[in-house]
Amino acid sequence: MPKDRCDIYCFNEEKVNRIQPAIDAEAVQGVSALFKALGDETRLKIVLALYKGEELCVCDVANIVGSTVATASHHLRLLRNIGIANYRKEGKLAFYSLRDAHIKQVIDIMFAKKEDVTI
């Protein structure tokens, strides 16, 4: 069985020295948080609902994803806190929408090859 690791310390030190400082740790942390949020099935359903509905009330999101209003509200608050969703209050209603076109592009890319999911 072939080994899946190197037997030497560094093969191309020039590439390592060029690429390593070019990786922005703060940007990586932000993208990681985005994918952690989207890695939860309920939150991904909520993001897809916002993608399709543009702006939705919390109670409508709960009905779409099949959760309680409290659960939907919890997930929407997390999506707002990490910068995926916008929030606005209108009387007793709380509305959410996707923050910007970048999130929509991520959704487009994630589901580009999925025949079973129609966007």
Side-chain angles (χ1 to χ4, degrees):
M1 185 130 179
K3 294 180 185 177
D4 60 351
R5 60 183 169 82
C6 290
D7 291 328
I8 62 173
Y9 175 69
C10 186
F11 173 72
N12 192 328
E13 192 172 347
E14 180 274 324
K15 276 187 183 178
V16 170
N17 291 334
R18 179 174 45 87
I19 295 169
Q20 190 177 39
I23 295 175
D24 181 347
E26 191 173 309
V28 168
Q29 189 175 31
V31 172
S32 176
L34 168 71
F35 281 103
K36 281 180 186 175
L38 296 178
D40 179 88
E41 192 173 321
T42 301
R43 283 192 292 269
L44 184 56
K45 287 179 183 178
I46 290 170
V47 169
L48 284 170
L50 295 175
Y51 177 94
K52 289 176 178 272
E54 295 185 17
E55 183 180 66
L56 295 169
C57 180
V58 174
C59 57
D60 291 339
V61 169
N63 280 294
I64 290 168
V65 302
S67 73
T68 65
V69 172
T71 297
S73 183
H74 167 78
H75 286 296
L76 284 160
R77 190 175 315 109
L78 186 142
L79 292 170
R80 183 184 70 192
N81 289 342
I82 65 168
I84 293 176
N86 285 324
Y87 163 82
R88 77 177 178 86
K89 186 89 168 156
E90 190 174 302
K92 293 184 177 187
L93 302 174
F95 291 93
Y96 283 85
S97 60
L98 293 181
R99 176 151 290 168
D100 59 35
H102 294 102
I103 299 303
K104 292 177 181 180
Q105 289 174 335
V106 170
I107 297 301
D108 284 336
I109 291 166
M110 286 171 38
F111 289 99
K113 298 257 183 197
K114 300 287 184 191
E115 291 79 27
D116 58 320
V117 178
T118 305
I119 296 177

